[in-house]
Amino acid sequence: MTTETLDLVLPDIPRIHTALAEWLSCIVYVCYANRRIVGWKFAVFSVAMLGAQSLFLSLTAGLESVWWIACMGAAVGMMYLYLYVCGKMNWKECAYHCTGAFVAAEAAASLEWQLYCFLYYGCGWEKSWLKPVCLLLIFGLFYACMWWLKGHRRELNDIVVTNRELVSYIMIGIAVFLFSNLGFISIRTPYANWYAAEIFRVRTIVDLGGLAILHAYHLQRAELRTRHELENIQMILENQYMQYQQAQEAVDIINYKYHDLKHHILVLRTEENDKRRNQYLDRMEEEICAYEAQNKTGNKVLDTLLTAKSLYCRKNDIIMTSVVDGTLFGFMDVMDICSIFGNALDNAIEHEKQILDKDKRIINVKAYAQQRFLIIRFENYCEDLVVFQEELPVTTKTDTREHGYGVKSLRYTVRKYGGEVNFELRDSWFIVKILIPMNMSQ
């Protein structure tokens, strides 16, 4: 077969190849996401979707022009359905990943069929086994690379998709699809070509280039999001430290007043002998002694933080108890102590203020050593249902982009010392448990 004949009779991509490429692309994206269905249900649904996709594309193989575009739109809809049912994604995340999967499928199908046609028609390898071997080999290598890329940067897969990012990503995908298929629409367009082989080459190059652009865009926005997150965490750390400094000034003033008050009580006792006044003064003295005892942890930073939080809790009718051995925190930086205790207590206080029954507003704080571990435990009463994602509690605020960093800052600080933090809801108590190995802290 001559080159001229090859250019004129090159057949279109079999629809079953396109269906398989779309299905494999979805598999790659779903397997690196949190799944709604797993096990045999996932396997059965996946096989059913492959059959439905193959049947639909095979039955619509003869459609052209506008109907062909509508058919491809329906195929994308089936991919979206598969991703949405199998993966724990909202509609924006699903549309975002569906766009990437579709462009990847177009690139894989075009590359595989062009290489097959080159070997079969151009090189004269007219063998019956060539088509299945070429399909397995090209698809295998292509999706192995996709699997490696997504696994290599797995931490970038679970990121929040904004409306602007979604629109930009979809527009890139649509542009890639249109430019790669202009030659198939009509020969009366400036971008058309009389030769089928040339059309396929353009299509393959555009699809592969578009896939590279989408991947680069995804990496860039993920890196920007990570940088934004680190900046927010750093801001939280600095804010917690500033709160500590402000609390230190307030506590110093309280300590001065405390000592002055003791003298006032002595004077009042000598001048007045009224029974009710003595009872009142006795009660004041008991509260002062309790205040003095509960904030002596052996660490000035913790003394200041716990005193400030205790006073704030008392003002908001929250019962806060603390049993903390502050001598265990000598290895820790002041800003890190502020971050751990500040973030954990701020989250607990914010939740307790929303409880209508004031008798249930309770926060317990403990810090002690056990089996070469520093254990810090925060407990607050909680009747709400807490949703966890990636082992972290999901913020209840509507603007998820600008909130939830307190918890991430807490985990970031703990991991600096080789520790781990665990969040759980048990018997109407929200528990934050932190373990830091003592040997790494010395």
Side-chain angles (χ1 to χ4, degrees):
M1 182 177 293
T2 64
T3 304
E4 290 76 14
T5 305
L6 171 63
D7 285 330
L8 292 175
V9 302
L10 193 64
D12 199 3
I13 302 174
R15 289 302 183 93
I16 190 68
H17 290 209
T18 303
L20 182 59
E22 292 172 351
W23 182 76
L24 288 172
S25 295
C26 290
I27 288 289
V28 172
Y29 277 87
V30 165
C31 287
Y32 277 114
N34 295 320
R35 277 182 274 173
R36 299 182 195 271
I37 56 176
V38 295
W40 67 268
K41 292 182 180 180
F42 172 71
V44 170
F45 185 78
S46 298
V47 173
M49 286 301 299
L50 174 60
Q53 192 92 340
S54 302
L55 179 62
F56 173 76
L57 291 179
S58 297
L59 293 177
T60 57
L63 298 179
E64 297 180 355
S65 189
V66 177
W67 291 107
W68 174 77
I69 296 177
C71 170
M72 296 306 297
V76 173
M78 296 178 71
M79 295 175 67
Y80 180 92
L81 176 64
Y82 178 76
L83 291 172
Y84 189 80
V85 171
C86 294
K88 285 185 179 180
M89 314 176 191
N90 57 39
W91 70 270
K92 287 190 287 189
E93 293 170 341
C94 192
Y96 181 89
H97 292 306
C98 183
T99 301
F102 177 71
V103 173
E106 287 287 291
S110 180
L111 177 64
E112 182 273 331
W113 191 244
Q114 181 182 350
L115 292 176
Y116 165 74
C117 290
F118 173 76
L119 295 175
Y120 189 88
Y121 297 104
C123 298
W125 291 10
E126 299 180 3
K127 307 294 183 181
S128 59
W129 49 263
L130 182 61
K131 183 182 292 186
V133 170
C134 194
L135 181 68
L136 291 175
L137 183 62
I138 301 303
F139 275 15
L141 292 175
F142 185 90
Y143 287 105
C145 290
M146 276 194 63
W147 185 277
W148 180 84
L149 283 175
K150 291 193 70 63
H152 183 61
R153 301 302 298 273
R154 184 167 186 168
E155 71 280 2
L156 302 180
N157 296 329
D158 299 322
I159 51 179
V160 179
V161 179
T162 65
N163 292 332
R164 179 181 297 181
E165 291 168 342
L166 176 61
V167 171
S168 300
Y169 203 71
I170 291 178
M171 291 301 295
I172 295 174
I174 293 175
V176 171
F177 174 73
L178 291 179
F179 279 108
S180 66
N181 288 277
L182 279 177
F184 294 94
I185 298 175
S186 173
I187 63 173
R188 295 182 176 88
T189 64
Y191 303 98
N193 195 295
W194 288 91
Y195 300 104
E198 189 65 27
I199 293 175
F200 268 102
R201 280 192 288 269
V202 172
R203 176 179 182 177
T204 302
I205 292 172
V206 172
D207 285 336
L208 291 175
L211 184 62
I213 292 173
L214 287 178
H215 184 66
Y217 177 81
H218 178 72
L219 292 179
Q220 183 181 30
R221 63 178 287 269
E223 294 291 351
L224 290 175
R225 182 64 51 78
T226 301
R227 187 183 306 170
H228 176 70
E229 182 173 308
L230 290 175
E231 289 174 353
N232 277 274
I233 290 175
Q234 184 63 32
M235 186 182 303
I236 290 174
L237 290 171
E238 293 175 356
N239 288 337
Q240 291 292 345
Y241 183 66
M242 290 178 61
Q243 290 181 24
Y244 157 70
Q245 290 178 318
Q246 294 170 359
Q248 178 66 63
E249 296 175 0
V251 170
D252 289 340
I253 295 175
I254 292 174
N255 286 331
Y256 296 144
K257 296 295 183 182
Y258 158 72
H259 289 292
D260 291 342
L261 190 57
K262 289 177 67 177
H263 295 300
H264 290 318
I265 292 174
L266 292 175
V267 173
L268 288 172
R269 282 192 182 278
T270 59
E271 292 183 356
E272 298 290 340
N273 195 24
D274 183 78
K275 184 177 180 179
R276 292 181 60 187
R277 179 62 61 85
N278 282 332
Q279 290 176 349
Y280 175 73
L281 293 175
D282 288 339
R283 187 164 63 252
M284 287 181 58
E285 192 169 18
E286 289 176 2
E287 291 180 357
I288 292 173
C289 291
Y291 157 75
E292 183 180 33
Q294 72 176 5
N295 296 286
K296 299 300 181 180
T297 66
N299 184 292
K300 292 183 178 181
V301 178
L302 285 174
D303 292 347
T304 301
L305 284 172
L306 294 176
T307 298
K309 301 300 182 183
S310 297
L311 294 173
Y312 186 82
C313 287
R314 185 175 301 176
K315 181 180 178 180
N316 289 273
D317 298 313
I318 300 174
I319 302 172
M320 175 178 162
T321 63
S322 59
V323 181
V324 176
D325 184 356
T327 61
L328 301 173
F329 292 84
F331 66 91
M332 194 172 291
D333 185 76
V334 173
M335 289 188 65
D336 294 333
I337 297 176
C338 296
S339 174
I340 292 174
F341 280 83
N343 284 315
L345 288 174
D346 285 347
N347 289 336
I349 291 172
E350 183 178 356
H351 179 80
E352 297 306 298
K353 288 168 59 178
Q354 300 174 5
I355 299 177
L356 299 178
D357 189 351
K358 295 181 179 180
D359 293 334
K360 295 182 178 180
R361 297 179 179 179
I362 304 173
I363 299 175
N364 299 321
V365 184
K366 297 179 182 178
Y368 53 94
Q370 182 177 347
Q371 295 181 354
R372 296 183 180 180
F373 280 92
L374 169 60
I375 300 176
I376 313 170
R377 189 180 181 95
F378 301 91
E379 301 176 352
N380 65 277
Y381 187 77
C382 178
E383 293 180 338
D384 297 340
L385 178 63
V386 180
V387 179
F388 292 88
Q389 183 176 357
E390 297 294 323
E391 300 180 350
L392 294 178
V394 178
T395 178
T396 56
K397 297 182 175 66
T398 54
D399 187 4
T400 57
R401 291 189 67 194
E402 300 300 330
H403 294 93
Y405 290 110
V407 173
K408 294 180 179 179
S409 174
L410 175 61
R411 186 174 66 174
Y412 170 79
T413 303
V414 171
R415 287 183 174 177
K416 282 176 58 177
Y417 296 91
E420 278 297 337
V421 56
N422 179 62
F423 303 89
E424 64 174 321
L425 182 64
R426 184 198 309 164
D427 299 329
S428 297
W429 286 92
F430 184 77
I431 303 172
V432 180
K433 187 176 182 180
I434 299 170
L435 282 82
I436 299 178
M438 300 293 289
N439 58 338
M440 290 189 65
S441 64
Q442 297 176 351

